[in-house]
Amino acid sequence: MMARKKPPLFLARAPYRRRRLRDAARLLPILGIFLLLLPLLWTEESRLNLSAVDVIYFFGVWLLLIGLAAAFAPGLRKGEGLKEEED
Amino acid sequence: MPFNLLVVACLLYVVFLFAVAFIVERRAQAGRLGWLRSPLVYTLSLSIYCTAWTFYGAVGYAARSGLEFLTIYFGPTLVFVGWWWLLRKLVRIGRQYRVTSIADLISSRFGKSNTLGVIVTIIAVVAATPYIALQLQSVVLSFGVFASATPDGVAPPDPGSTAIWVAVGLALFTILFGTRNLDAKEQHHGIVTAIAVEAVVKLVALLAVGAFVVWGIADGVGDIIARIDAADLSAWQVQPGRWAGLIFLSAVAVITLPRMFQVMVVENDDEGHLARASWAFPLYLMLMSLFIVPIAVVGLDRLPAGSNPDMFVLTLPLAEGQGGLAMLAFLGGFSSATSMVIVESIALATMISNHVVIPLWLRMRPAAAAGDDLRSVVLNARRVAIAAVLALGYGYYHVSGGSAALAAIGLIAFLGVAQVLPALIGGLFWRGATRVGAIMGLVTGFVVWAYTSFLPSFGPGAVLSDAVFAQGLLGLSWLRPQALFGTEAMDPLIHALFWSLTLNAIAFCIGSLLTFPGPVERLQGAAFVNVFEGSVGPQRWSKGQVEPEALLTMAQRILGEEEALSLFQSSAREQGKDSFLPDPTPGFLNRLEAQLSGTVGAATAHAMISQLVGRATVTVEDLMAVASESAQIMEYSAQLEAREAELTRTAGALREANEKLTQLSIQKDAFLSQISHELRTPMTSIRAFSEILTEGDLPPEMVTKYGRIIHDEAKRLTRLLDDLLDLSVLENGTVQLNLGLASLQQMLDTALTAARQTRPERSFVIHRDLPSEAIYIKTDADRLTQVFINLISNARKYCDAAKPELRISVRQRAGRVTIDFIDNGKGIPKESQSLIFEKFARLTDANRAGGAGLGLAICREIMTNLGGSVAYLPGQGGAAFRITVPLRLEKLAA
């Protein structure tokens, strides 16, 4: 019997891409948090009125997150279950 | 809009939901779910996150505090687009360990501790109560809106009785569809589909109102933007603390809310659905919030000052004379409220029954472990729990008077369930998290939440006195409920959020760092944290000293007879045995425990098995797995283990074959001597009497008598030879079958009549279920009846009970019919069970009742020829035989 194979140091192209896709999926909520907290820095404490620009900005960010998640989802699903790539 | 029309519409809508749930349940039972298991239904069912609070409350929230309402949807969006972090693991664990609720998850992770299960259950119930009250309140308010709009209509009932009717109706619906059966996986396809339908209704309703506002009242998008800019929404003062805190809080809530856990994890059919939901659910949330701001702005503009902004979704179309649209909006709000209450009460009822009622029941009546049917206890416990949860919700509504703004109550409930977060995250990602730590964290968080948020929500002077509010508990100013440790400047909600979760997490960490977990805890911890590596199984049973029959009896009480038997049979087959009783190997015990925990929760299942098997001991391999972090050893041993299992299986099969061969060889000798004996006895008497007859000069009556004896003996001989011939024809498969449609009931009638000739002096009580027998089978009716006659006659011959009874039960499933014949005698001892179908196998010579012991052998051959089987069914409290026949037997090509 063998000692367990060491995980390879460098990966082939396809698994490499899959790993980066997972990284991207993990980073997505962090990007989201950043974008959603950003407006806190625009507004002055004294400002009272809600402007339509704010509304459009938030829905834009929302759509962006949804779009990115939709783009990642099929690739993430395909790669699942390939054991040697779990990290 | 007349008020009675509204009530009728409501009732029709509920009937429609009933029909949806009912049809889907039927299809699920027949195994034809098809597209109902699609990611779409899964995503839509997640929408119970959007309760009536979203539907009505979001507009009110926007009118009061500007864009802050968006935070409630940003949190879940972040959690779902980041599903790779947490949700994936949660769903995997939920499916792998058959988790039934969030309380079960926590209890299971920390060494199957029921104490933790109880704590989480209590937190969930207390936090859910105001939330359910909130839903009732929204329905009552929306009824009220219509009532005030109809001065000449029928006077509507007062709010109190509306609330009662709604609560009772919801309880009935939930009990009907949520507790119909005990599922091994605790899934409710009917309800989930009804929820998905309601999700569509509420989305369409809100979008319709929004579209009407933007294009009907205002002049399209440009005009709306101008109106938003012009509107004096005075309140959007950015409070960075609240903004960030609420995003965090809603993100936590979507993970920990019992109802979200129910639809997201427990009802999940396929992990792949989560990938789709990761963007589809945020999209749903976005669409729900798309028109909130326009509705709020236009509502503030158009409606008289002082009207309740929480009801703008209804009042705006009504004020513009759009009755139909208002009705649609009303149904949308009704859907939001009902779907939330239904799922929430199912989730809570599961927790209450699995973690409180059943453990108490087992503790109070340990004798019951061997007796009655637990399934009905579990189901009744759930029914009562559902009713109790709704009663609590109604009680809260009644006491609080339903006055507070909707959003405030919702956030308090969110914060309550959020207390589970540290234990959950710690349990999933940190192997060092211990049971004591989890208990300390949960209790601390719960107490702080109650003191700073829940109790103050009743208002000063209600539960906490004014003095406590102003001077703090016991006059200690640093213990003021809304300014703990002097933090006066904080917003009350953020104050409660900050202190409860911080103190909770600190207690959790300190408790975990200082205590030492038990072996079961450590194994469960490793199994949960490393669920994707899959190298450490959960805690294992050592080979137990237990009769498999006792296990079967217990499993039948929880899973139901059918389910339990098929589980035992397939396990036995995996071990290479051809019977219903597998050996109690560790692997089998684990599988059984997993199956049971899908029904009654991990802690109870564990307790019940250890009641029979004895304390679960941790084996040497387990300890090695804990002690050694080396992946090498684990993989090596896993492979060895796989091989060993393979070998064990083969050896089991070989051993069984060998045993059978030995027995057969003995039988062969017995067969030969038996057959010569059976043939010789009649031969001898025939020879003797015919010799006497040939000597002549006998009185005629003697001649007649001897002649009859010779005739009878010859008949016996013929019968024996017929049987043997029959058997050999059947065995060679050259038998001619007369296929035709025949009524099962008629066949049983014939068989019962025919079998009455066997020992006619015994009176038998026969239990039959005639409706279930009304089946037409395409088979050879004569042959099948022959088998029935044989089994019934055997029961008449061998059943040794003083008051013999025979139960015949018929079941139809997946194109096969099973017919069980169960008597109440002593049954057949275990060591002979595999022999009775062999030729000339008679168990007791004492009970020779004619026949040569070929009956069951013939039965077996007939059933093989009919494409079915006959088998002995252990553990039924008597001799029991199960016949399986295909519903439609087609002629073989040969």
Side-chain angles (χ1 to χ4, degrees), chain B residues 786-835:
Chain B
Q786 190 185 345
V787 174
F788 292 163
I789 296 178
N790 214 301
L791 292 181
I792 300 170
S793 315
N794 274 352
R796 296 186 74 97
K797 274 184 229 164
Y798 301 119
C799 179
D800 49 6
K803 282 191 190 132
E805 287 178 14
L806 178 66
R807 185 156 61 85
I808 302 177
S809 63
V810 178
R811 257 188 228 97
Q812 191 181 344
R813 188 207 260 183
R816 296 183 81 76
V817 181
T818 62
I819 306 132
D820 294 348
F821 294 86
I822 302 166
D823 69 28
N824 62 343
K826 252 209 314 271
I828 292 170
K830 203 174 147 203
E831 62 275 12
S832 342
Q833 282 172 8
S834 60
L835 279 183

Side-chain angles (χ1 to χ4, degrees), chain A residues 6-79:
Chain A
K6 263 197 177 165
L9 200 51
F10 301 103
L11 293 165
R13 198 167 191 58
Y16 182 86
R17 287 264 57 100
R18 268 201 290 276
R19 280 205 182 173
R20 296 297 81 78
L21 187 64
R22 285 174 193 168
D23 293 345
R26 290 202 178 95
L27 289 173
L28 189 57
I30 298 172
L31 173 74
I33 293 172
F34 169 74
L35 289 176
L36 294 178
L37 295 186
L38 189 61
L40 298 181
L41 304 176
W42 303 342
T43 29
E44 304 160 39
E45 203 70 32
S46 60
R47 191 175 120 181
L48 293 180
N49 277 0
L50 155 74
S51 79
V53 180
D54 295 322
V55 181
I56 293 167
Y57 170 79
F58 282 122
F59 278 91
V61 169
W62 212 339
L63 272 178
L64 176 77
L65 292 177
I66 292 168
L68 286 175
F72 294 163
L76 290 171
R77 225 172 118 183
K78 221 174 343 166

Side-chain angles (χ1 to χ4, degrees), chain A residues 1-6 18 21-81 83 86-87, chain B residues 39 62 66-67 69-70 73-75 77-85 88 92 224-226 228-241 243-244 247 270-273 275-276 278-280 282-287 289-291 293 297 532-535 631-632 635-636 639-640 643:
Chain A
M1 279 290 292
M2 34 19 47
R4 178 187 162 156
K5 242 189 344 184
K6 263 197 177 165
R18 268 201 290 276
L21 187 64
R22 285 174 193 168
D23 293 345
R26 290 202 178 95
L27 289 173
L28 189 57
I30 298 172
L31 173 74
I33 293 172
F34 169 74
L35 289 176
L36 294 178
L37 295 186
L38 189 61
L40 298 181
L41 304 176
W42 303 342
T43 29
E44 304 160 39
E45 203 70 32
S46 60
R47 191 175 120 181
L48 293 180
N49 277 0
L50 155 74
S51 79
V53 180
D54 295 322
V55 181
I56 293 167
Y57 170 79
F58 282 122
F59 278 91
V61 169
W62 212 339
L63 272 178
L64 176 77
L65 292 177
I66 292 168
L68 286 175
F72 294 163
L76 290 171
R77 225 172 118 183
K78 221 174 343 166
E80 237 183 327
K83 201 180 169 215
E86 290 292 353
D87 49 350
Chain B
L67 278 187
F69 82 94
L70 284 175
Y73 310 102
F74 284 156
T77 300
L78 291 174
V79 169
F80 269 83
V81 299
W83 64 290
W84 201 260
W85 283 108
R88 191 173 74 108
R92 170 67 66 88
I224 280 293
I225 290 181
I228 293 174
D229 270 333
D232 177 35
L233 289 181
S234 51
W236 202 43
Q237 287 170 311
V238 187
Q239 294 186 33
W243 182 263
I247 291 183
D270 179 352
E271 282 176 40
H273 292 175
R276 186 76 64 88
S278 73
W279 58 270
L283 182 65
Y284 184 95
L285 293 180
M286 195 207 75
L287 291 176
S289 356
L290 196 54
F291 291 116
V293 175
V297 169
F532 288 113
E533 273 91 275
S535 46
Q632 282 183 17
E635 181 160 319
Y636 182 63
Q639 287 188 3
L640 271 186
R643 277 186 201 181

